[in-house]
């Protein structure tokens, strides 16, 4: 499974690459994000084209994934989607991710703007997109799908983002992606042995559902809370190593073990939701 880590710092990107992270994720999305996630403890990066160029210059093994903004027109303060995507391509992105789309038209325009110059990845994170996913998947030019659990659970009025995993929503969507032979991933994961929902449960579900990619969450290695660069390096290396070791175990699991893990995921999710609701 491909591991992704979000950063716009070249030193951190180099360390992550050495640690075995498969994709360095530069996050340029900012349009509308603060409004829909205002007040929540979420990652809002607003990286720049210059960051993309800088990260590109230090990558030799890891791929460069760039999340652009949702489809938009030019304003007095910012360039249009067409120009933004052109700049991302020129800066060297291997994969471009489109966030927060709600229509077939937006996805079609995105694919046309990328025009085969990089891989396309659709970040499904709105209930509107979920409702028309069959129509979206009829389009040609989709290389990857990724389910954004945070915004999608907000869009559906849920309490905890992993409810989408527990209630079968993720499974229903990934089944559709698989039938179209489109690579897919979902959500984020913390370090093995940690997580509000244990990372082991999440990783087990990735394997059961055939996921091929996951974002290493901020909790996996929050550089703002580490005392020095050596601590960041140690945390990334040990964290990636622990995931790879756990993957070896998952590769030997039986169907019965995966089903047991699925049930545990449902039970743990319900407990988290109950705790959150009790505090409201």
């Amino acid at each position: 499974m491909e591991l992704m880590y979000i950063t716009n710092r070249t030193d951190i990107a180099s360390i992550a690459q050495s640690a075995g992270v498969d994709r360095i994720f530069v996050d340029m999305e900012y349009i509308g994000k603060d409004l829909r996630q205002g007040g929540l403890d979420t990652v809002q990066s607003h990286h720049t084209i210059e960051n993309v160029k800088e990260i590109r210059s230090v990558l030799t093994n890891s791929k460069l994934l760039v999340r652009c903004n949702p489809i938009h027109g030019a304003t007095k303060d910012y360039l249009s989607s067409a120009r933004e995507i052109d700049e991302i391509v020129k800066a060297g992105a291997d994969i471009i991710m489109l966030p927060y789309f709600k229509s077939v038209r937006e996805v079609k325009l995105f694919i046309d703007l990328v025009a085969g110059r990089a891989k396309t990845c659709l970040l499904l994170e709105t209930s509107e997109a979920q409702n028309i996913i069959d129509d979206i998947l009829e389009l040609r030019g989709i290389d990857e799908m990724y389910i954004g659990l945070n915004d999608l659970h907000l869009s559906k009025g849920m309490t905890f983002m992993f409810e989408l995993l527990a209630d079968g929503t993720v499974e229903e969507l990934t089944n559709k992606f698989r039938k179209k032979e489109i690579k897919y991933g979902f959500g984020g994961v913390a370090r093995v042995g940690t997580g509000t929902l244990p990372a082991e449960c999440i990783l087990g579900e990735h394997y059961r559902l055939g996921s091929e990619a996951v974002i290493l969450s901020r909790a996996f290695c929050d550089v703002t809370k580490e005392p020095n660069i050596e601590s960041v390096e140690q945390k990334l290396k040990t964290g990636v190593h622990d995931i790879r070791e756990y993957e070896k175990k998952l590769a030997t699991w039986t169907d019965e073990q995966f089903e047991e893990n699925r049930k545990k995921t449902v039970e743990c999710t319900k407990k988290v939701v109950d705790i959150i609701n009790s505090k409201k």
Side-chain angles (χ1 to χ4, degrees):
M1 187 161 57
E2 292 194 298
L3 304 179
M4 300 186 280
Y5 188 71
I6 299 174
T7 186
N8 68 337
R9 288 176 50 178
T10 55
D11 56 345
I12 303 299
S14 294
I15 289 170
Q17 177 175 243
S18 297
V21 172
D22 303 284
R23 295 181 174 187
I24 305 302
F25 188 141
V26 177
D27 184 11
M28 291 182 58
E29 182 191 9
Y30 78 97
I31 296 175
K33 198 166 187 177
D34 183 61
L35 182 63
R36 66 181 187 264
Q37 294 185 357
L40 297 178
D41 184 23
T42 56
V43 177
Q44 297 181 25
S45 305
H46 196 183
H47 298 164
T48 67
I49 285 291
E50 287 306 309
N51 294 146
V52 179
K53 294 175 182 177
E54 291 162 357
I55 296 297
R56 174 75 276 167
S57 71
V58 301
L59 298 186
T60 54
N61 298 319
S62 301
K63 297 293 186 181
L64 175 55
L65 182 147
V66 179
R67 176 160 58 189
C68 63
N69 278 289
I71 295 297
H72 61 279
T75 70
K76 64 182 180 63
D77 299 313
Y78 197 66
L79 64 176
S80 66
S81 281
R83 284 194 57 200
E84 181 184 61
I85 289 171
D86 274 342
E87 291 298 316
I88 291 172
V89 169
K90 291 174 184 175
D94 297 300
I95 310 110
I96 304 177
M97 175 185 280
L98 175 69
Y100 216 71
F101 55 90
K102 297 182 178 182
S103 68
V104 174
R105 181 196 66 80
E106 290 170 291
V107 175
K108 178 66 164 60
L109 179 56
F110 170 69
I111 293 169
D112 289 346
L113 291 174
V114 176
R117 296 174 293 169
K119 295 288 186 182
T120 59
C121 179
L122 303 184
L123 180 59
L124 195 163
E125 53 183 347
T126 69
S127 56
E128 291 91 343
Q130 182 187 349
N131 291 338
I132 58 169
I133 189 59
D134 291 330
D135 294 330
I136 288 171
L137 293 177
E138 289 301 314
L139 294 173
R140 298 184 63 179
I142 302 170
D143 294 305
E144 302 178 11
M145 295 292 308
Y146 202 88
I147 305 171
L149 300 184
N150 190 58
D151 271 317
L152 185 56
H153 98 278
L154 293 174
S155 178
K156 295 168 75 69
M158 292 179 167
T159 300
F160 179 48
M161 66 180 181
F162 286 107
E163 286 181 86
L164 292 162
L165 186 57
D167 73 358
T169 298
V170 172
E171 184 163 6
E172 180 182 349
L173 288 169
T174 56
N175 283 340
K176 292 177 182 290
F177 305 156
R178 188 184 307 112
K179 287 178 182 178
K180 291 293 184 178
E181 299 183 340
I182 296 173
K183 178 178 179 176
Y184 55 87
F186 62 87
V189 68
R191 300 171 69 82
V192 171
T194 69
T196 307
L197 175 65
E200 292 88 336
C201 287
I202 297 170
L203 291 169
E205 282 291 86
H206 274 273
Y207 265 67
R208 182 179 73 86
L209 298 172
S211 168
E212 295 184 61
V214 66
I215 296 170
L216 301 177
S217 69
R218 180 172 54 181
F220 187 91
C221 181
D222 187 347
V223 297
T224 66
K225 295 181 179 179
E226 296 302 317
N228 51 53
I229 198 70
E230 289 77 19
S231 177
V232 171
E233 183 173 16
Q234 177 66 14
K235 203 155 194 177
L236 280 170
K237 285 186 175 180
T238 57
V240 171
H241 173 268
D242 290 347
I243 285 181
R244 295 310 187 198
E245 288 301 306
Y246 197 72
E247 284 185 289
K248 291 177 183 178
K249 293 181 182 179
L250 291 172
T252 69
W253 274 17
T254 62
D255 289 344
E256 290 74 18
Q257 287 173 297
F258 281 114
E259 177 59 17
E260 183 179 335
N261 183 76
R262 185 194 67 78
K263 290 178 179 178
K264 182 179 178 182
T265 300
V266 172
E267 292 169 4
C268 289
T269 298
K270 185 179 183 305
K271 289 179 182 178
V272 173
V273 171
D274 288 343
I275 290 170
I276 293 172
N277 288 335
S278 70
K279 295 179 180 179
K280 290 181 178 179

